[in-house]
Amino acid sequence: MLMKLQLSLSVILLLACGFLYQFTQKSSCLFPHLPPYKSQQGLEALLGHGRSIVFLETSERMELSPLVSCAVESAANVYTEQPVLLLMKGLNNSMQLPPNSTSPALSLLSAIDNVFLLPLDMKSLFEDTPLFSWYTQINSSAERYWLHVSSDASRLAFIWKYGGVYMDTDVISIRPIPEDNFLAAQTSQFSSNGVFGFLPHHPFLWQCMENFVENYNSDIWGHQGPELMTRILRVWCKLRDFQEVSDLKCLNFSFLHPQRFYPISYAAWRRYYEAWDTEPSFNDSYALHLWNYMNQEGRAVVRGSNTLVENLYRKHCPKSYRDLLQGPESSVTGERGPGNK
Ligand SMILES: *[C@@H]1O[C@H](CO)[C@@H](O)[C@H](O)[C@H]1NC(C)=O
Ligand SMILES: *[C@@H]1O[C@H](CO)[C@@H](O)[C@H](O)[C@H]1NC(C)=O
Ligand SMILES: *[C@@H]1O[C@H](CO)[C@@H](O)[C@H](O)[C@H]1NC(C)=O
Ligand SMILES: *[C@@H]1O[C@H](CO)[C@@H](O)[C@H](O)[C@H]1NC(C)=O
Ligand SMILES: *[C@@H]1O[C@H](CO)[C@@H](O)[C@H](O)[C@H]1NC(C)=O
């Protein structure tokens, strides 16, 4: 099994290398003077250390919203020594995008040294995991929440195989997470699956994948997502309510306080799009989940609005701020996707 894993890793890396060359022309496969983690061995070594930051785009969409771009850019700024991966279903190995057809967000991100845009091939990702048989039997066009469910599955498999931190594409990073193995509480006694991190092959995630398949119910939104994480967390730990702003320890991983990623609760998500007299310091947070899924009314980040979210962009993703935001006249609705619920 180890051999197979290594093999599929090298295949992914090979594709990645080829892809980066075709797509961004900055390939380290050919330019050894690039920083070490840009070379194939370097990338393999870092993936091998289980320290990558992973974002997923499970739709075929190739246009990224400013928020997705901001999430990835902010992670690249916080985790400068780690590879930040954006895995996209719409990319594949046969792809040869002329540089002029790329979206502004894709060209912005692919120019960042530690950001890697990679194809998301679910079939090979699920190989050697409990999800493989589920995936090969399912008729995805009959599934009600396929983009979400396939995203839930992919994040479990990726972090189980390679380790690292998974983040939704509406999470803005503000400082490093000082934990290797953690789940994030959304509220007391309830885990999210929008951010989590584990070293490779942690049995918690294996159990999540088994339970995903055994208890699969495609009609209940979140059943394979936050509810799954919470179910398995209850098997591993006796959960208490949080005391003040301290985290809980659960065997060999941590259950992080809602303040770490959800300092503004989902019911109050519009506060991000308002101007504050005094902005919160977010001193107890590592990253901010913007609840884009709640944003059905399509609020956009507008330059010059002095909203909390505008100021977060300016500070934590200055390139996305500069290149992608609209001025006050031309607001259009932001995109919503399964990776950013
Ligand atoms: C690549 O992606 C395109 C668009 O999603 C698809 O039509 C095509 O079949 C894919 N090619 C391969 C080799 O997977
Ligand atoms: C991209 O550039 C090629 C060659 O210069 C040109 O033929 C093509 O129309 C351009 N595509 C777009 C989308 O601008
Ligand atoms: C998959 O589901 C779609 C939509 O319900 C249906 O039209 C199609 O026949 C199904 N395909 C298979 C192979 O069952
Ligand atoms: C965590 O604990 C589980 C169960 O005791 C064990 O199997 C696993 O190897 C441990 N993992 C780490 C990273 O310590
Ligand atoms: C937040 O942290 C900064 C720097 O550590 C400190 O100066 C500031 O007083 C803190 N703010 C709050 C509200 O705790």
Side-chain angles (χ1 to χ4, degrees):
M1 186 168 102
L2 203 59
M3 275 295 286
K4 251 183 155 175
L5 265 177
Q6 280 170 349
L7 198 66
S8 66
L9 179 62
S10 0
V11 168
I12 289 181
L13 289 169
L14 213 62
L15 297 182
C17 217
F19 176 76
L20 282 170
Y21 172 60
Q22 291 164 356
F23 184 54
T24 70
Q25 323 264 298
K26 70 169 173 188
S27 173
S28 40
C29 310
L30 299 180
F31 301 111
H33 59 270
L34 285 173
Y37 52 79
K38 281 287 181 185
S39 72
Q40 190 175 340
Q41 285 97 345
L43 180 57
E44 188 166 352
L46 274 189
L47 263 185
H49 283 119
R51 303 183 66 226
S52 40
I53 313 296
V54 182
F55 296 89
L56 297 174
E57 177 56 69
T58 49
S59 76
E60 304 267 333
R61 193 168 59 199
M62 291 297 292
E63 284 297 320
L64 302 179
S65 70
L67 182 52
V68 175
S69 177
C70 185
V72 176
E73 183 190 344
S74 66
N77 289 338
V78 167
Y79 304 94
T80 49
E81 303 296 312
Q82 291 163 244
V84 175
L85 315 180
L86 175 59
L87 274 63
M88 301 178 75
K89 185 84 188 308
L91 293 182
N92 58 29
N93 45 339
S94 63
M95 190 115 198
Q96 296 201 11
L97 284 179
N100 60 354
S101 74
T102 65
S103 79
L106 282 182
S107 29
L108 182 159
L109 291 177
S110 54
I112 300 176
D113 274 349
N114 57 330
V115 171
F116 296 83
L117 305 170
L118 306 177
L120 172 59
D121 174 1
M122 290 190 198
K123 194 158 180 232
S124 61
L125 179 57
F126 296 146
E127 258 168 35
D128 304 311
T129 79
L131 296 167
F132 189 72
S133 57
W134 162 80
Y135 181 74
T136 50
Q137 283 162 32
I138 203 144
N139 178 356
S140 62
S141 42
E143 291 281 308
R144 203 163 146 205
Y145 302 115
W146 180 245
L147 291 184
H148 297 96
V149 162
S150 60
S151 174
D152 290 336
S154 301
R155 65 189 78 173
L156 293 172
F158 191 94
I159 300 299
W160 183 78
K161 279 191 170 178
Y162 305 115
V165 174
Y166 167 81
M167 292 187 190
D168 277 351
T169 49
D170 58 346
V171 172
I172 297 181
S173 293
I174 60 178
R175 60 175 64 83
I177 303 167
E179 307 269 348
D180 286 329
N181 299 290
F182 69 92
L183 294 179
Q186 193 165 306
T187 54
S188 231
Q189 311 214 3
F190 192 80
S191 179
S192 80
N193 75 336
V195 189
F196 61 91
F198 284 96
L199 295 174
H201 301 166
H202 199 286
F204 181 87
L205 292 180
W206 187 264
Q207 202 176 343
C208 285
M209 292 190 286
E210 285 181 335
N211 195 281
F212 183 113
V213 177
E214 282 161 20
N215 288 314
Y216 186 66
N217 185 336
S218 59
D219 291 332
I220 308 174
W221 190 89
H223 187 73
Q224 283 69 232
E227 288 172 25
L228 169 68
M229 301 303 241
T230 304
R231 280 200 298 280
I232 307 304
L233 182 62
R234 292 200 175 122
V235 174
W236 279 57
C237 308
K238 192 158 163 42
L239 290 182
R240 299 175 276 116
D241 282 336
F242 288 98
Q243 304 296 319
E244 307 194 331
V245 196
S246 56
D247 303 321
L248 295 177
K249 200 74 195 162
C250 176
L251 293 180
N252 55 17
F253 64 90
S254 302
F255 187 43
L256 301 185
H257 192 280
Q259 282 292 325
R260 307 292 173 225
F261 304 99
Y262 304 94
I264 293 180
S265 74
Y266 74 91
W269 70 272
R270 284 189 188 82
R271 295 291 279 143
Y272 281 113
Y273 293 86
E274 293 169 4
W276 295 49
D277 292 335
T278 309
E279 292 195 351
S281 71
F282 296 122
N283 271 13
D284 292 322
S285 304
Y286 305 136
L288 308 172
H289 187 278
L290 264 67
W291 303 108
N292 198 47
Y293 183 70
M294 301 293 286
N295 189 6
Q296 305 290 329
E297 64 210 44
R299 292 201 180 202
V301 186
V302 178
R303 189 183 286 127
S305 57
N306 194 35
T307 51
L308 177 57
V309 66
E310 185 202 1
N311 295 328
L312 290 170
Y313 271 53
R314 189 186 290 131
K315 188 161 175 199
H316 301 289
C317 54
K319 295 185 172 117
S320 304
Y321 180 80
R322 186 192 61 209
D323 293 357
L324 306 177
L325 287 194
Q326 310 131 20
E329 297 84 25
S330 61
S331 1
V332 293
T333 56
E335 290 174 75
R336 285 179 302 278
N340 49 41
K341 55 196 171 190

